[in-house]
Amino acid sequence: MSGSATAAPRPLAVALALAAVYLVWGSTYLAIAIGLEGFPPFAMGAIRMLAAGALFYAVLRWRGMAAPTSRQWRNLWVMGALMVLFANGLVNLAQTEVSSGLAAIAVASMPLFVAVFSTLKGRRLGRLEWSGIALGLLGVGLLNAGSELAGSLLGMLCLVVAPLAWAWGSVWSRDQDLPSPFMNAAGQMLCGGVLMALASLLLGERFTGPPSLDAVLAVVYLGVFGSIIGYSAYVWLLGNVRPALATSYAYVNPAIAVLLGTLVLQERFDADTWIAMAVILASVALVTRPPRPA
């Protein structure tokens, strides 16, 4: 993949990038919930991604970074569909019916799918990893059967497809011709933002009135922190560390999202949801554990 590191990344750089995806992305579920009070789901995603992507792309070009090649743009359109339209867009849509904390818990299953998809690329999984995947699927089943998701078919479908799309995009991207990490992130946001705008038009989304200041500020936060900072950090991690570490944010985000949802939005969760979250996070810990030395 073009733009991949040729030397081991600095530990400080890895730590800062992980902090960005751990903390910033954990808070985006709350920001999405607030933004949805004034914006339709796909329109909000399109505004967020197009604004952030255009600004980031312009700054990178101004600093002399090469534009993606035609082949790289084709790959960026695929990544924009998987990582932005289907992953981010469907989480937005799901949160029109389910709480921010529950959405984060469901998305936490994503590293399990990364592990499974990695087998298609030749990676062999050990017994402990397969046990973690089986345990995680049990947790996903518990979440869908025993939480508020059981009453929302739309939310359930969205929160199954979204982590699948993100996982496949994360694995597929490692073997593709893509630009350097920052240009990669900007291009994905631009392509995905266009696809989100088309989805918004096709679905006939409409604004019911002028968005509130809180909703506008939430979308600004999503664009600056969730997209430019968080997304760039994640793309950089994909090219510089093993996929399991890059996707390990999935078992930190739910704790942050649940905490913020409880404190700010007064969200409440039943015992089944807490049990499902514990099972999913335990399974992710098994799947993403560091490999043993040879």
Side-chain angles (χ1 to χ4, degrees):
M1 175 172 114
S2 178
S4 293
T6 56
R10 295 181 179 179
L12 178 59
V14 174
L16 290 175
L18 287 173
V21 294
Y22 284 0
L23 302 177
V24 172
W25 274 359
S27 65
T28 55
Y29 293 91
L30 172 62
I32 289 171
I34 296 173
L36 287 173
E37 295 176 0
F39 294 84
F42 286 100
M44 180 177 73
I47 293 169
R48 163 192 175 181
M49 293 298 179
L50 285 174
L55 176 61
F56 201 24
Y57 184 86
V59 170
L60 293 174
R61 293 291 288 137
W62 175 69
R63 292 178 60 87
M65 188 169 292
T69 65
S70 58
R71 181 177 180 180
Q72 289 172 342
W73 274 118
R74 288 196 296 270
N75 290 333
L76 287 170
W77 279 106
V78 175
M79 293 299 293
L82 291 170
M83 310 286 279
V84 178
L85 175 63
F86 289 113
N88 180 265
L90 292 182
V91 169
N92 289 355
L93 185 58
Q95 284 194 228
T96 62
E97 295 198 1
V98 302
S99 65
S100 62
L102 186 61
I105 295 170
V107 173
S109 63
M110 184 271 299
L112 307 177
F113 303 125
V114 168
V116 173
F117 290 147
S118 294
T119 63
L120 303 177
K121 298 290 186 178
R123 183 188 171 201
R124 299 182 63 181
L125 302 181
R127 291 182 180 178
L128 198 59
E129 289 170 305
W130 282 117
S131 298
I133 291 169
L135 182 63
L137 293 178
L138 173 62
V140 171
L142 290 173
L143 188 66
N144 283 280
S147 70
E148 63 182 281
L149 270 181
S152 172
L153 178 60
L154 176 63
M156 183 186 302
L157 290 175
C158 288
L159 294 176
V160 169
V161 175
L164 279 169
W166 187 273
W168 176 242
S170 298
V171 173
W172 180 83
S173 67
R174 294 183 68 86
D175 298 326
Q176 304 306 314
D177 179 17
L178 292 167
S180 59
F182 291 151
M183 184 59 77
N184 185 1
Q188 285 185 40
M189 287 188 278
L190 282 173
C191 295
V194 171
L195 295 174
M196 291 261 250
L198 290 175
S200 178
L201 291 173
L202 290 174
L203 292 172
E205 291 184 341
R206 296 289 185 272
F207 287 83
T208 57
S212 66
L213 178 60
D214 286 346
V216 171
L217 291 176
V219 174
V220 171
Y221 177 85
L222 288 168
V224 175
F225 290 91
S227 295
I228 294 178
I229 296 176
Y231 206 77
S232 299
Y234 180 69
V235 171
W236 182 86
L237 286 168
L238 281 179
N240 287 274
V241 302
R242 59 193 179 90
L245 181 59
T247 57
S248 63
Y249 70 87
Y251 60 87
V252 179
N253 287 175
I256 296 173
V258 167
L259 176 63
L260 291 176
T262 301
L263 295 177
V264 180
L265 302 178
Q266 285 75 54
E267 295 175 352
R268 295 292 181 267
F269 304 96
D270 56 25
D272 289 337
T273 301
W274 288 110
I275 293 171
M277 181 172 73
V279 172
I280 291 172
L281 298 188
S283 69
V284 171
L286 288 176
V287 170
T288 59
R289 79 196 193 290
R292 295 178 184 178

